[in-house]
Amino acid sequence: MDFNFTDEQKMLRESARGFCEDKSPMSFVLEMEEDEKGYTPELWKGMAELGWMGLVIPEEYGGVGMSFMDLIVLLEEMGRVCLPGPFFSTVVLGGLTILEGGNESQKNEFLPKIANGDIILSFALAEPSSTQYDPSLIEVTATAEQDRFIIDGTKLFVSDANVADYIICAARTQGEPASKDGITLFFVDAKSPGIKCSLLKTVAGDKQCEVIFDKVVVSEENVLGEVNGGWFVIEKILQKAAVAKCAEMVGGGQKVLEMAVEYAKQRVQFGKLIGTFQAVQHHCANMAIALQGSKFITYKAGWMLSEGVPCAMQVSAAKAWTSEAYKKLVILGHQIFAGTGFMAEHEMPMYSRRARAAELAFGDANYYRKMVAQDIGLAPRS
Amino acid sequence: MDFSYTQEEEMFRKRLNEFLDKELTEEIARQNWEDLGVGPEAREFSRKLYENGFLGLPWPKEYGGQELSPTYDFILIDELGKRWGAHVPLDVGYTMTGHTILRRGSEEMKKEFLPKIIRGEIEFGLGYTEPNAGSDLASMMMKAEEKDDYYLINGQKTFNTESHYADYHWLAARTELDPDKPKHRGISLFIVDQRSPGITIRPLITMSGERTNEVFYDDVKVPKDRMVGEKNKGFYYMMEAIDSERNHVFVPARLWPIVNDMISYVKATEYNGKLLSDDPQIQSKLAQMIIDLEVAQVLADNARWLELNELPMTMEPEITKLVVSELEQRMVDDAMQILGLYGQLEEGSKWAPLRGRIEWYYLHSFLPTIGAGTSEVGRNVIAQRGLGLPRG
Ligand SMILES: Cc1cc2nc3c(=O)[nH]c(=O)nc-3n(C[C@H](O)[C@H](O)[C@H](O)COP(=O)(O)OP(=O)(O)OC[C@H]3O[C@@H](n4cnc5c(N)ncnc54)[C@H](O)[C@@H]3O)c2cc1C
């Protein structure tokens, strides 16, 4: 047992903190919320030069060859400043999916480009019929026709599809809409005829899209993994995505706590620092408890995923606890900042809007409670 | 980071569980957990733990340990806890005062007490609280006057739980009597033979049937070499020992029996022709217990790992303690709700589900948020010591 970060991880954190704080002040984040693209090529290039896009890609494919646990450290720092852009889509949902499911020629072709920052990826999973997060409910169809497939249907909440070069699309090649068998992953050129992408307006101002596939033709070479065997890959990626999202939340939560404590040490009312009031102290203590739990369960789940140890229970605990904890952190943060924190140009809303988006991404606490109930044999497996 | 156990540690766990299957009974577990008084069976069990190589592994060799990783003690305490909430039978010595003696005691004191603690032979009772000094321990009045080669001690303690069966009293008393000096810099810590002349122990019985005690000192003479560490520094040592208590008593593993009992219960009990385990609300409650326990486990691992590797701690033991104690209350409330009308039935009653254990836990669950520092004081500590907020 060892709770220390490695020296490399400490250095990574330090350099990431410097870069993120320098390049992504709040003004930039808010600007990107209004921007059509939601990122700037300069920032993207800068991140690629630091090796971030290739962090978890093995050296043989042009990456840095670091671990998922190292990525957790980096994502925490990104979450701390709400760094905008398609990093999560490209690296976590794109890169890791290709690593997990891609064949050798797909890996050779795409991974070096990801590592270089040459391409942006997006992952299309959710659909209009699943109002609750339900990753296996897939009705978008892919029909085999000689050596190609025709994809038809609508995907929702597809992050960064507006700027993506490729979209990884989960489509049904067989079976009932809710069945885990019969799902296939396709690597689709985002410029293919028949793809129509439009931006949704979201609470976090992030770039989630509706993507309509209207008889989009994909060659069979662009199947990722096995035909009908996509769920096997999706399940693994969603575990990593959930914990990666927790890391962003931990970073954001840490910043919110620091800001609130700082403010409590400056703001005077009734002739006293508000930080001397016990009600305010207890708000801060409750934030610290929520954060500490989020941190360590995220590190534990992240480490287990990194080491390839089975950890469905820890992933569920991490995403359930952290989603709730981040909401608690922002609620208490707002309470301490009171009126000032309610203003649009204050930092607090930037975090509280993202707390909601992060809760919803890859399953909220209700979803993971259901998963746990299945894991302990109370509910039948869906 | 590394959240794994080594192969040797896993072997240890396996050997330990084989031993516990044979040797640990519910009666022994409950003698300690419910503070009924550790009887001869539990003392015998304690000695066997040592003889079979399960006690004392992380402790220094010169006092009878093996200087292995502290993880061995984590495994020991967790595996015990999973069985009826058991603990090391003489847990105050082994997990609270022992660590403080090791850190703060003189060499003679370590030689005298640590080997017996490691062998599971002696127990201590904690003597902090007084009728007028609960959360505000610095206000304690128990007086220790320096005489030739001893201290003369007078006054009263209350809620001193192990005193009726402990061998020693871990006593905090005032050694600086000048009222103009800061209160917390006038307290010293003593190890007092619990059977010394002049000590009277009177029982107090709690709502969940445990025994705790009032302890009166009437001209009790305590040799000077039984003072722990330096004079007038006792308040700080006491705070350290309370951190050890938070880390080693508020062990999430001890709550697993509740969850496991409840899981078997809902899988075997029907209402209206349907198993309780099919009810989504019940599923959700039980799942949340497990989620909370997973988080509590890693928090507890972090806090005790920091302590036993002598790394700085500010708020970690408090966070663990708060999470575990408040979790116990929520968990027991949810369990009572699931049991419905039957939840009110006591152990021994006709129709009592799960042998009335949940009903007992309900009664007990008011204590964890009070003992070892209340939740309110815990949050003050997190805010002030952990986050650096100013005192009022
Ligand atoms: C079963 C049992 C076993 C125990 N065993 C032992 C033992 O072995 N040895 C021992 O020494 N003690 C023991 N204790 C004592 C225990 O540690 C105290 O009860 C506890 O510290 C609280 O003190 P109090 O009960 O006097 O409450 P008080 O301190 O009087 O507190 C009353 C209320 O005021 C609140 N409060 C007090 N101060 C503050 C503050 N600064 N800010 C906000 N709120 C505050 C408290 O949180 C609480 O809600 C035991 C207690 C029990 C019930």
Side-chain angles (χ1 to χ4, degrees):
Chain A
M1 196 173 286
D2 182 6
F3 282 87
N4 287 313
F5 285 104
T6 63
D7 287 345
E8 270 183 329
Q9 286 164 343
K10 287 181 197 154
M11 275 163 52
L12 175 65
R13 185 186 295 284
E14 204 179 310
S15 84
R17 174 141 334 163
F19 182 89
C20 289
E21 281 177 355
D22 182 37
K23 306 287 182 201
S24 181
M26 183 175 69
S27 54
F28 175 74
V29 179
L30 297 186
E31 194 187 316
M32 288 301 108
E33 287 181 11
E34 301 301 322
D35 187 86
E36 276 281 301
K37 282 199 170 91
Y39 82 110
T40 63
E42 301 86 85
L43 179 61
W44 189 249
K45 205 165 147 256
M47 287 160 62
E49 278 163 9
L50 288 169
W52 290 358
M53 273 65 134
L55 197 79
V56 284
I57 294 177
E59 281 163 298
E60 52 184 309
Y61 303 115
V64 182
M66 287 172 80
S67 70
F68 184 69
M69 190 62 202
D70 300 321
L71 184 62
I72 291 288
V73 172
L74 179 59
L75 286 163
E76 212 183 314
E77 292 307 314
M78 292 179 169
R80 188 181 164 89
V81 300
C82 309
L83 186 82
F87 180 86
F88 199 100
S89 298
T90 303
V91 172
V92 180
L93 299 176
L96 293 180
T97 304
I98 296 173
L99 261 177
E100 192 65 52
N103 59 34
E104 209 44 43
S105 85
Q106 289 164 337
K107 287 182 188 169
N108 279 321
E109 181 174 357
F110 296 112
L111 293 177
K113 289 184 185 157
I114 293 176
N116 276 334
D118 292 342
I119 53 173
I120 290 172
L121 270 56
S122 172
F123 193 87
L125 187 62
E127 300 185 3
S129 52
S130 42
T131 55
Q132 300 292 314
Y133 177 71
D134 187 355
S136 62
L137 191 63
I138 287 178
E139 294 176 333
V140 167
T141 53
T143 318
E145 210 175 69
Q146 286 137 13
D147 56 353
R148 48 188 214 165
F149 287 84
I150 316 289
I151 303 181
D152 244 322
T154 300
K155 290 284 183 184
L156 274 188
F157 308 113
V158 188
S159 288
D160 308 309
N162 58 323
V163 292
D165 300 294
Y166 297 94
I167 299 173
I168 298 174
C169 177
R172 184 154 297 285
T173 33
Q174 172 181 299
E176 296 299 310
S179 160
K180 286 175 180 166
D181 296 324
I183 300 169
T184 306
L185 287 173
F186 294 93
F187 203 76
V188 188
D189 187 330
K191 284 172 226 64
S192 308
I195 292 185
K196 208 175 121 213
C197 174
S198 48
L199 270 175
L200 307 169
K201 290 189 173 178
T202 62
V203 64
D206 52 357
K207 305 301 158 194
Q208 300 187 52
C209 306
E210 175 204 61
V211 181
I212 300 174
F213 291 80
D214 181 13
K215 301 197 183 61
V216 174
V217 178
V218 188
S219 136
E220 69 179 4
E221 281 159 29
N222 288 354
V223 169
L224 265 181
E226 304 288 318
V227 173
N228 296 327
W231 180 254
F232 179 74
V233 178
I234 294 174
E235 198 174 24
K236 287 192 172 169
I237 293 307
L238 290 181
Q239 281 197 340
K240 288 193 171 164
V243 176
K245 194 47 84 176
C246 289
E248 286 187 355
M249 290 193 270
V250 165
Q254 174 76 42
K255 179 69 183 176
V256 169
L257 173 61
E258 286 172 20
M259 292 190 312
V261 167
E262 180 101 343
Y263 186 66
K265 288 178 184 171
Q266 288 168 7
R267 169 78 171 166
V268 174
Q269 284 294 283
F270 300 99
K272 282 182 178 170
L273 291 171
I274 60 164
T276 62
F277 300 135
Q278 196 161 59
V280 171
Q281 291 196 351
H282 286 196
H283 283 342
C284 291
N286 286 332
M287 292 168 84
I289 294 168
L291 178 66
Q292 191 91 341
S294 306
K295 252 189 203 173
F296 285 107
I297 193 66
T298 297
Y299 296 157
K300 184 169 182 178
W303 181 85
M304 292 176 93
L305 286 170
S306 203
E307 297 292 308
V309 183
C311 56
M313 207 60 107
Q314 285 77 17
V315 170
S316 296
K319 188 61 173 55
W321 172 284
T322 307
S323 300
E324 304 272 285
Y326 197 14
K327 283 191 296 186
K328 205 178 293 171
L329 272 147
V330 297
I331 287 171
L332 295 172
H334 271 290
Q335 205 58 31
I336 290 169
F337 279 105
T340 331
F342 195 61
M343 298 303 114
E345 73 273 21
H346 194 272
E347 274 109 333
M348 272 314 298
M350 179 166 87
Y351 292 96
S352 42
R353 290 185 290 112
R354 278 170 183 73
R356 212 77 226 190
E359 175 200 20
L360 295 170
F362 315 111
D364 63 4
N366 284 323
Y367 175 79
Y368 285 102
R369 279 190 286 266
K370 276 187 219 154
M371 296 290 280
V372 171
Q374 288 176 17
D375 288 341
I376 56 174
L378 296 185
R381 271 177 203 286
S382 55
Chain B
M1 293 209 174
D2 182 353
F3 292 90
S4 69
Y5 293 93
T6 63
Q7 241 176 358
E8 291 78 33
E9 288 162 353
E10 288 298 355
M11 284 296 295
F12 172 82
R13 190 196 301 275
K14 189 162 165 271
R15 228 164 32 82
L16 173 65
N17 274 311
E18 284 161 10
F19 171 83
L20 296 179
D21 283 343
K22 283 205 306 273
E23 301 287 347
L24 180 63
T25 62
E26 180 171 5
E27 191 197 345
I28 293 174
R30 286 171 64 176
Q31 278 185 357
N32 175 281
W33 189 193
E34 297 172 28
D35 294 319
L36 302 171
V38 168
E41 309 83 2
R43 287 209 180 239
E44 175 65 19
F45 171 72
S46 178
R47 269 193 297 276
K48 279 190 195 160
L49 270 177
Y50 174 74
E51 279 159 18
N52 286 276
F54 299 117
L55 265 187
L57 276 67
W59 296 72
K61 282 193 179 139
E62 50 189 317
Y63 309 117
Q66 301 182 27
E67 284 184 25
L68 296 174
S69 147
T71 322
Y72 285 95
D73 271 350
F74 302 172
I75 295 173
L76 172 65
I77 290 169
D78 287 353
E79 294 306 322
L80 282 164
K82 288 179 200 161
R83 296 168 187 251
W84 307 287
H87 206 305
V88 175
L90 307 178
D91 66 306
V92 176
Y94 194 73
T95 66
M96 302 169 215
T97 63
H99 294 306
T100 313
I101 294 172
L102 185 62
R103 283 191 289 255
R104 302 296 179 183
S106 65
E107 197 48 46
E108 298 82 71
M109 184 176 268
K110 290 189 214 176
K111 287 215 173 81
E112 181 177 0
F113 290 100
L114 292 180
K116 291 185 201 153
I117 289 175
I118 291 169
R119 290 200 298 266
E121 290 172 1
I122 54 170
E123 182 57 318
F124 294 72
L126 298 172
Y128 307 142
T129 307
E130 296 180 7
N132 290 315
S135 301
D136 180 16
L137 283 173
S139 291
M140 65 175 62
M141 298 298 291
M142 186 107 164
K143 193 167 68 175
E145 292 165 279
E146 190 164 354
K147 302 285 178 189
D148 312 328
D149 57 348
Y150 63 90
Y151 281 88
L152 188 67
I153 305 187
N154 279 289
Q156 183 194 347
K157 292 284 167 186
T158 192
F159 304 140
N160 286 189
T161 301
E162 287 79 11
S163 289
H164 58 294
Y165 62 84
D167 309 275
Y168 297 96
H169 201 196
W170 179 257
L171 180 77
R174 183 157 294 290
T175 37
E176 174 55 71
L177 305 174
D178 181 351
D180 294 333
K181 296 267 169 68
K183 287 190 289 184
H184 54 283
R185 271 185 246 145
I187 292 169
S188 300
L189 210 51
F190 298 90
I191 296 179
V192 183
D193 193 325
Q194 190 74 84
R195 311 288 155 241
S196 307
I199 295 181
T200 312
I201 299 173
R202 283 205 213 128
L204 294 168
I205 304 300
T206 74
M207 64 185 281
S208 41
E210 295 114 327
R211 173 168 172 183
T212 179
N213 305 281
E214 292 179 300
V215 182
F216 299 87
Y217 276 56
D218 183 11
D219 280 342
V220 177
K221 290 180 180 172
V222 178
K224 278 191 169 166
D225 61 5
R226 288 292 174 83
M227 181 186 277
V228 182
E230 287 176 50
K231 189 176 175 183
N232 293 332
K233 296 236 168 115
F235 184 81
Y236 303 98
Y237 305 156
M238 180 169 67
M239 290 299 136
E240 283 179 18
I242 297 177
D243 268 350
S244 296
E245 181 175 354
R246 293 176 183 125
N247 282 344
H248 291 92
V249 176
F250 295 84
V251 175
R254 302 179 81 176
L255 300 177
W256 272 109
I258 303 180
V259 181
N260 289 334
D261 278 357
M262 289 307 297
I263 292 174
S264 343
Y265 179 81
V266 300
K267 281 183 180 170
T269 309
E270 285 191 1
Y271 169 68
N272 236 346
K274 271 177 99 178
L275 281 175
L276 292 183
S277 59
D278 291 339
D279 179 334
Q281 262 196 42
I282 290 177
Q283 293 173 358
S284 169
K285 281 187 193 324
L286 289 172
Q288 188 60 46
M289 292 180 192
I290 291 176
I291 289 165
D292 287 343
L293 276 179
E294 280 290 346
V295 174
Q297 180 69 47
V298 69
L299 285 172
D301 281 342
N302 177 246
R304 59 191 181 175
W305 178 86
L306 287 172
E307 180 189 344
L308 297 178
N309 285 293
E310 290 169 44
L311 294 164
M313 300 187 292
T314 55
M315 56 181 168
E316 293 81 2
E318 282 291 358
I319 289 183
T320 303
K321 196 258 168 182
L322 273 164
V323 167
V324 174
S325 58
E326 294 182 356
L327 152 64
E328 179 177 340
Q329 272 178 1
R330 275 199 309 278
M331 203 161 151
V332 170
D333 178 46
D334 280 338
M336 285 293 265
Q337 289 184 37
I338 294 171
L339 296 179
L341 286 170
Y342 293 90
Q344 64 191 312
L345 299 174
E346 268 186 24
E347 182 166 23
S349 162
K350 206 170 166 184
W351 297 96
L354 299 173
R355 299 172 300 123
R357 295 307 292 153
I358 304 295
E359 188 264 356
W360 178 80
Y361 269 106
Y362 166 68
L363 297 175
H364 177 79
S365 68
F366 293 94
L367 173 62
T369 50
I370 295 169
T374 67
S375 299
E376 292 74 23
V377 172
R379 288 185 164 85
N380 296 349
V381 171
I382 293 172
Q384 292 166 11
R385 185 154 33 119
L387 303 173
L389 287 168
R391 284 167 189 279

